[in-house]
Amino acid sequence: MSILIGLIPAIAWGILPIVVTKIGGKPVNQIIGTTFGTFIVAIITWLFIRPDIAVGQFWLTVLSGASWAFGQYLQYMAFQRIGVSKAMPISTGLQLVGTSLLGVLAFGEWSGSVELLIGFIALVIIVVGIVLTTVDGAKQTDEKRPSLGVTILIFALSTLGYVGYSAFPRLANVSGWQGFLPQGLGMALMALVLTLVTAGPHILSERVTWISLIDGVVFSIAALTYLISAQRNGVATGFTLSQMNVVLATLGGIFILREHRTPRGLVWTVVGLLLVVVGGVMIGNMAV
């Protein structure tokens, strides 16, 4: 039963990009719906659990949620630029690399020589996997090819947001249920700022924005069950199981969203996905 619970975050995070894309809208619609939906679930959860959290911890964790919303907004932009099936492996791989380097450089993880060697090998495997998922035999005209520089910048800034999402709770020494409500608050506040700056308040009255609350419910299911999984299975196993989301999201982008891949590109994508997952498993098994 514990393993089945551990697979729920992978399934929910895996179908989130599919649900977001199917509902549609602009990235600002999607990020408002996702974060407001998450914040609503966080409030309901807090009413039942009411975990203790100090003021300093609370605000650092708010910054964690704000960082996630910034990263997720840019990920939604990437979905529209290059598709879910290409964006998810790149985004997931860069998150694994970024959070791992943060752990080593800022928090003194992988302190032993064996851990450093295994960690370095895992990061190389992930990077190679990312590159392979982008290989495709189809030729694109200049009109159809998104600007490479802008796409790289989107992924780089998105990764910084996700790294902040992991870093601030570590600085605050927050764990488990403590962080869910302040993270939800930070997510909603950042989404509101992004919306007002990039689009304007009229976005809040658009129908697709409020339909996108479903995205927030899906994300919350993943986040809550991940907390339960980490408690029942341990951090290493819970983290490793959650990384299976990239497989579901990428294949869903190809077969459900009908994102075009040549037969050669599909083979390389599957190989690349396997490498990203293997690298994630290696890193996850050092998380104890």
Side-chain angles (χ1 to χ4, degrees):
M1 180 60 72
S2 295
I3 297 299
L4 292 177
I5 292 173
L7 288 172
I8 295 175
I11 295 170
W13 274 322
I15 67 172
L16 177 61
I18 313 300
V19 174
V20 166
T21 305
K22 282 289 189 181
I23 291 174
K26 301 174 183 177
V28 285
N29 300 115
Q30 295 165 344
I31 197 63
I32 281 288
T34 304
T35 56
F36 279 36
T38 301
F39 187 39
I40 291 169
V41 174
I43 292 173
I44 295 171
T45 303
W46 181 84
L47 290 174
F48 285 96
I49 298 178
R50 304 205 177 197
D52 293 327
I53 184 169
V55 174
Q57 291 177 312
F58 182 90
W59 290 111
L60 278 173
T61 315
V62 168
L63 289 176
S64 166
S67 297
W68 181 89
F70 177 73
Q72 191 71 9
Y73 170 71
L74 292 171
Q75 188 183 82
Y76 288 162
M77 291 179 62
F79 289 165
Q80 296 196 350
R81 290 180 67 83
I82 64 174
V84 171
S85 62
K86 287 186 177 180
M88 275 301 294
I90 297 172
S91 180
T92 302
L94 291 176
Q95 289 176 55
L96 288 169
V97 172
T99 53
S100 297
L101 291 177
L102 173 76
V104 173
L105 299 176
F107 298 108
E109 297 177 357
W110 303 1
S111 54
S113 56
V114 174
E115 285 185 323
L116 282 172
L117 177 61
I118 294 174
F120 176 76
I121 292 172
L123 294 182
V124 171
I125 290 173
I126 290 169
V127 171
V128 171
I130 292 171
V131 172
L132 290 180
T133 62
T134 66
V135 174
D136 198 4
K139 294 182 179 179
Q140 289 183 308
T141 62
D142 290 338
E143 290 79 11
K144 293 183 179 180
R145 185 182 297 115
S147 170
L148 180 60
V150 174
T151 303
I152 291 173
L153 179 62
I154 287 172
F155 278 116
L157 293 176
S158 175
T159 301
L160 288 177
Y162 288 127
V163 169
Y165 175 62
S166 299
F168 286 116
R170 294 286 301 274
L171 291 172
N173 195 26
V174 168
S175 61
W177 301 101
Q178 284 181 304
F180 193 44
L181 178 62
Q183 280 180 336
L185 174 61
M187 290 173 185
L189 290 175
M190 175 57 76
L192 191 58
V193 170
L194 289 170
T195 300
L196 295 176
V197 169
T198 63
H202 69 277
I203 293 294
L204 299 175
S205 63
E206 292 182 356
R207 182 171 177 268
V208 69
T209 299
W210 299 106
I211 295 176
S212 295
L213 288 173
I214 296 170
D215 305 337
V217 174
V218 174
F219 174 83
S220 297
I221 291 171
L224 289 171
T225 52
Y226 177 74
L227 292 175
I228 297 171
S229 174
Q231 290 175 345
R232 297 185 62 161
N233 296 310
V235 173
T237 302
F239 173 84
T240 300
L241 290 171
S242 73
Q243 295 311 298
M244 302 303 110
N245 76 86
V246 67
V247 177
L248 184 58
T250 303
L251 297 181
I254 295 171
F255 296 110
I256 297 176
L257 301 178
R258 303 293 184 184
E259 295 175 354
H260 177 70
R261 287 293 176 91
T262 64
R264 174 174 173 265
L266 182 58
V267 171
W268 284 120
T269 296
V270 172
V271 173
L273 280 176
L274 291 174
L275 291 179
V276 171
V277 170
V278 167
V281 169
M282 292 172 66
I283 290 172
N285 285 331
M286 294 192 298
V288 277

